[in-house]
Amino acid sequence: MPRWPENTRARLVDAAFGMFVEQGYAGTTVEQIATRAGATSRTFFRHFRDKDEVLFADDDELLPHLVESIAGSTAGDSGGMMRAALGALADRMEPGRPRLRQRQRIIEQDVGLTGRELAKQARWQHAVVDALLERGFDRDDAEILAAIGFALFTGALHEWLEGEDDDGRSLRDHVERRFPKIADALNRPVPS
Amino acid sequence: MPRWPENTRARLVDAAFGMFVEQGYAGTTVEQIATRAGATSRTFFRHFRDKDEVLFADDDELLPHLVESIAGSTAGDSGGMMRAALGALADRMEPGRPRLRQRQRIIEQDVGLTGRELAKQARWQHAVVDALLERGFDRDDAEILAAIGFALFTGALHEWLEGEDDDGRSLRDHVERRFPKIADALNRPVPS
DNA sequence: GGAAGTGATGTCAGTTTGTGTCATGACTCT
DNA sequence: AGAGTCATGACACAAACTGACATCACTTCC
């Protein structure tokens, strides 16, 4: 059914990651990416709103799962709930470590990219707050819970990305290690 | 001693805010800003790295005060310490409400600007973590405290910005109202 | 008091990002 | 076979930046 190469988008993503790693983000041109992928810069911009978005486009797949984890949780307290939800998220991210590490290094090169990553996290956090509200928490509690959860998760994520591939420590391990430290902020009963 | 108008930078900032309010961020050109300020776009880019930065340039003045609040705090527990530091920060921001509100509305228009604002907040949060480490907290505690503090402060900030100028509720009021909600996460003794 | 800096600004040409518009040509459907 | 679809290419263009050089009021030093 495909009339065209069909994987153009994937080829563009691969080319972009490759060139960003080799030449840095600012040092590579959309034109170069497109050429390497056998396409035109015009085609690049049809697939991705801007040069940035090639790094963020496939990111939002995980969010629905996270929200659903919270909506469908059977834990009795907020701590168990966040633990289960963030653990499941960690499991889904586990196989992507090499690519995520690459991506992380690219993003750190550029203030704009860093900002966009944070904006994405903020969107996620907001979605989690909504899910918690839906679940019956009041707004202040929901916001604090989400803030703590994300602070914890991003801390764990960075530690995990800095580790070696064969260090035997999963992202889930990193996440769960941190939970006891914040136990007293996370021991509220889930509203009935 | 000034050989040139000397306030070029300030004129550029004023022109930029004015045009962003009137025509939106994306809808105004650096050329237009520069012309309105009686300058050239080349001059604009000599004062500000990008079009964005005219909105963020003067922002980091407050950070040193915040860090110093924490370094010099005499409170005995983490809650009192954060309360004093964030309260002092709120006081310093109080007079700037109209401009801050303008700025907020401009930033909300654009994903990139939102991201940059978040990146700035992250830098601040990181500086606060460092200050807490310096003060003797362990890293995990410092990160959680800073995360909670910023979540609380930005929530209060948004509420305050949405209020009327004459509603008699200071930013400090908004901040302090939120403290009791998170008491159990903020009752750790300051390490000796 | 004049010569030699100094430093913010202007001018101009060029690259890169991003968009609007139309053409192309393989593929689908009837 | 003919009509329509649709991802892509080609071209032109605006706007965001950058590098190189010129200017010219003012300072400094002799």
Side-chain angles (χ1 to χ4, degrees), chain B:
Chain B
M1 59 255 334
R3 305 131 243 224
W4 279 273
E6 153 157 41
N7 47 346
T8 307
R9 185 190 180 89
R11 283 196 339 264
L12 284 168
V13 171
D14 286 342
F17 270 79
M19 303 222 66
F20 290 162
V21 166
E22 291 167 21
Q23 316 184 354
Y25 176 79
T28 105
T29 283
V30 171
E31 186 84 25
Q32 294 176 321
I33 297 169
T35 302
R36 172 134 143 192
T40 305
S41 71
R42 192 67 186 83
T43 294
F44 179 95
F45 285 114
R46 264 193 279 254
H47 280 278
F48 309 101
R49 189 197 315 275
D50 358 272
K51 188 181 168 187
D52 299 6
E53 215 189 70
V54 69
L55 289 165
F56 296 93
D58 300 330
D59 253 28
D60 283 343
E61 293 169 16
L62 293 174
L63 179 54
H65 296 293
L66 176 59
V67 168
E68 201 175 334
S69 284
I70 292 167
S73 163
T74 59
D77 64 294
S78 56
M81 189 164 157
M82 295 299 279
R83 186 182 186 121
L86 296 180
L89 177 60
D91 290 343
R92 285 182 187 278
M93 294 178 69
E94 190 68 36
R97 176 137 87 162
R99 190 98 190 209
L100 283 170
R101 181 154 36 206
Q102 241 183 11
R103 187 171 168 283
Q104 186 61 27
R105 280 207 268 260
I106 296 166
I107 286 177
E108 281 166 2
Q109 294 173 13
D110 185 283
V111 193
L113 294 178
T114 307
R116 191 133 168 187
E117 170 74 6
L118 292 170
K120 190 201 72 187
Q121 282 174 24
R123 272 205 331 277
W124 283 41
Q125 188 167 330
H126 192 266
V128 166
V129 168
D130 285 344
L132 291 169
L133 289 176
E134 199 74 22
R135 206 72 168 72
F137 287 95
D138 79 36
R139 172 162 289 278
D140 287 335
D141 280 351
E143 279 173 359
I144 294 294
L145 280 173
I148 295 177
F150 270 80
L152 182 152
F153 191 85
T154 59
L157 181 63
H158 281 97
E159 226 173 63
W160 176 67
L161 287 178
E162 282 161 14
E164 300 301 322
D165 275 341
D166 56 355
D167 63 2
R169 297 198 58 201
S170 68
L171 176 53
R172 187 178 205 117
D173 290 341
H174 284 277
V175 169
E176 299 201 331
R177 184 190 71 79
R178 294 179 173 233
F179 261 85
K181 297 291 279 186
I182 55 169
D184 48 350
L186 284 177
N187 59 359
R188 307 179 183 212
V190 175
S192 61

